[in-house]
Each structure stands twice: as structure tokens, then as C-alpha cells.
Amino acid sequence: MKENRILQIWRILYPPLLYFVISYVVQLVGILLLMQIHQGSAEILQDPQALQEYVIRIYNENAMLLTMIAALLTIPICFFLYQKDRKRQKKEFGIQKQISMLQWFLIALLGMAASISLNDWIALSGIVLIFDGFEQVAEALYGGNLWIEILAIAIAAPLVEELLFRGLVYQRIRELANARAAMILSALYFGVYHMNVVQGIYAFLLGILLAWVCEKYQTLWAPILFHAAANFLSVIFTEGNFSYRISVVGVLLEIIISTGLMIYTIVRIHRTA
């Protein structure tokens, strides 16, 4: 019984860890190849401090491309594991519900509203000023080509992360616990996985909504659409120069509107799903 419990926990934990290893290997190989292509000067290679700054610069310039490659390598593995789980359970997620065009729209709208609202509330809390590391992550995420960012952040990342955290982790926890506990635990893992306090809080809160949408509609496509819409709007808002965000009134209006939309769509989905 003890061994079975350990194996059950391991089944929950290992898929994101596998993605982490693949990402690390892709980043390491990618940086080494890029260093060979760019061929830094001998002075840089002999100076540890200069070499570290050089590697960080190369990584930041190509982070999204490396992330997309890692995601594309991981997606087939995740899909294979996901299909094995569905066969073993002899069902996909239960009885998949028919989703109307309005409901797909509400899912996407909830993703976009949650992305802006949660980011604004976290920024307003001042937690970004307390914990280090978020600025470096943001620089790597949004420091490259816009189209690569969209492909990596709004397409590849939602696919691989939803297969991992809602398709595998959430469903495997769901076999052992009720829906509410599975939502919280999978969201907590999703937050910890980001290894950054600010990102982790955002991912935890978003992860609860993603698992909730998945449970409501009994299909992985629902959280994938939610996640893609949230990430796409995050890229647009980060890269865009919205003048209204300079004023306090503009930011407050954004918080009120996005939070209102988030609450409205949650209520609508709860009533119609």
C-alpha cells in the first residue's frame, strides 16, 4: 500500500519534471550552439564575469525560441502519456459537454480578463518590489521577436502546459481526491513550477481557474483556449504602448473593468456549463 501511494505521487510529479529536464537540455545545447555561431571574443571567454553576462544576453535574446523548441519536443510525449491515461480510465474526462460558440467566447473572455485582472492586482499589491527575479524573467519572456513570443507564449506554452498540468497532473490527482482538492493541488504545483514568487502567485490563481474550466466542460480544449487567450493578451499588453496606463485613473479603470469581466464570465460559465 505504501509503495502504491509513492508510485501514485510520482505519477503526479514526474511529467512537469520531465518538461523541466527537456527545457534545461534544450537551453544548454541552444546556448552552446549560439555561442559558436556568434563566436564571442577571446577576452570575454577568459573573463568569468564577462562570460556570464554574455551567456545571459544570448539566453535573453533567444529565450522564447528555446522555450518553443522545448515545448514542441515535449508535446508528443505529453500527448502519448495523456492518451495512455484516457485508455486506462476508459474515458476522456467523463462525458464531454457540448460547447456552444457563446461558451467558447466566454472561456476566451475569461482568460483575457483574468490575465489583466490578476496581473494588475499583483502589481497593485507591491509584491513585485519585495521579491527579486521577476524583472529578469520578464526580460527573457518579452525581450525578443514579437512573432516568436506569440508562437511560444500564446500557442506552444498553453498546449504543453495544459497537457501537463490539467491533462496529466490534475486528472491524476482527480483520481485520488475530489475536484476542489485537485484544483488547489494542481494549481499549487503549477505555481511552484514557475520557480518565481510573483509568477508563482499568478500561476496558482490562474491554475485554479484553468482546472475549474477543465472540470466544467470535461475537455482539455477549454483550458487550452483559456490559457492561449490569457497569454496572447499578456504579450499584447506587455509589448503595446497603452498611454492610459500611465495615469492612476487609467490603471484603476482597467482593474475595475477586467475584474468585473472576470466575475461576470465566471458566473455565466457556472450557470451555463
Side-chain angles (χ1 to χ4, degrees):
M1 181 64 71
K2 185 177 180 182
E3 183 181 0
N4 288 340
R5 182 65 65 182
I6 291 171
L7 287 174
Q8 287 171 338
I9 293 171
W10 174 242
R11 286 184 67 251
I12 292 166
L13 294 177
Y14 85 79
L17 296 178
L18 178 63
Y19 180 42
F20 177 83
V21 171
I22 292 172
S23 298
Y24 180 80
V25 172
V26 167
Q27 289 170 14
L28 181 62
V29 173
I31 289 171
L32 289 174
L33 289 174
L34 289 166
M35 286 176 68
Q36 287 293 322
I37 293 169
H38 291 292
Q39 292 184 344
S41 66
E43 291 80 8
I44 290 176
L45 298 177
Q46 291 173 3
D47 183 347
Q49 181 65 30
L51 179 60
Q52 182 181 13
E53 293 174 358
Y54 178 60
V55 169
I56 291 171
R57 179 170 61 81
I58 288 179
Y59 171 73
N60 286 343
E61 289 173 355
N62 300 277
M64 285 301 93
L65 177 61
L66 297 174
T67 298
M68 186 168 63
I69 292 170
L72 292 175
L73 291 173
T74 309
I75 285 170
I77 300 171
C78 293
F79 186 72
F80 172 74
L81 294 172
Y82 173 77
Q83 289 294 91
K84 278 189 68 176
D85 277 9
R86 300 291 72 78
K87 280 184 180 179
R88 182 175 51 80
Q89 295 169 353
K90 295 184 180 178
K91 60 182 182 178
E92 185 171 353
F93 270 67
I95 300 174
Q96 182 175 328
K97 298 183 179 180
Q98 292 294 323
I99 305 177
S100 66
M101 290 300 296
L102 174 61
Q103 288 170 323
W104 284 121
F105 172 75
L106 288 173
I107 292 167
L109 183 62
L110 177 57
M112 291 186 285
S115 173
I116 301 304
S117 178
L118 294 177
N119 272 307
D120 283 349
W121 281 111
I122 289 171
L124 194 65
S125 72
I127 198 169
V128 179
L129 304 175
I130 299 173
F131 295 98
D132 297 328
F134 177 71
E135 290 184 3
Q136 290 88 335
V137 172
E139 184 181 350
L141 286 173
Y142 303 105
N145 180 278
L146 176 61
W147 291 108
I148 294 293
E149 288 178 21
I150 291 173
L151 288 172
I153 298 174
I155 298 176
L159 280 170
V160 70
E161 290 182 357
E162 292 315 304
L163 276 166
L164 282 169
F165 287 97
R166 260 57 63 179
L168 295 172
V169 172
Y170 173 72
Q171 291 299 321
R172 288 177 178 184
I173 297 175
R174 187 74 173 84
E175 293 174 17
L176 308 174
N178 60 42
R180 185 173 298 179
M183 287 177 197
I184 293 171
L185 290 172
S186 62
L188 184 61
Y189 192 10
F190 189 47
V192 171
Y193 183 82
H194 284 76
M195 295 186 296
N196 176 283
V197 174
V198 177
Q199 264 195 311
I201 292 171
Y202 172 78
F204 170 71
L205 297 172
L206 202 72
I208 290 175
L209 288 174
L210 285 162
W212 178 72
V213 166
C214 183
E215 184 71 29
K216 276 288 181 182
Y217 290 105
Q218 297 294 307
T219 173
L220 198 59
W221 288 111
I224 287 173
L225 175 62
F226 178 113
H227 200 156
N231 283 13
F232 176 76
L233 199 64
S234 179
V235 172
I236 298 302
F237 266 62
T238 302
E239 297 291 357
N241 184 18
F242 299 97
S243 58
Y244 75 87
R245 302 186 95 191
I246 298 173
S247 69
V248 175
V249 174
V251 173
L252 287 175
L253 281 173
E254 180 179 288
I255 292 174
I256 291 169
I257 292 170
S258 61
T259 304
L261 273 174
M262 182 174 69
I263 294 170
Y264 168 76
T265 48
I266 288 172
V267 172
R268 283 297 303 273
I269 288 172
H270 178 68
R271 288 178 176 174
T272 59

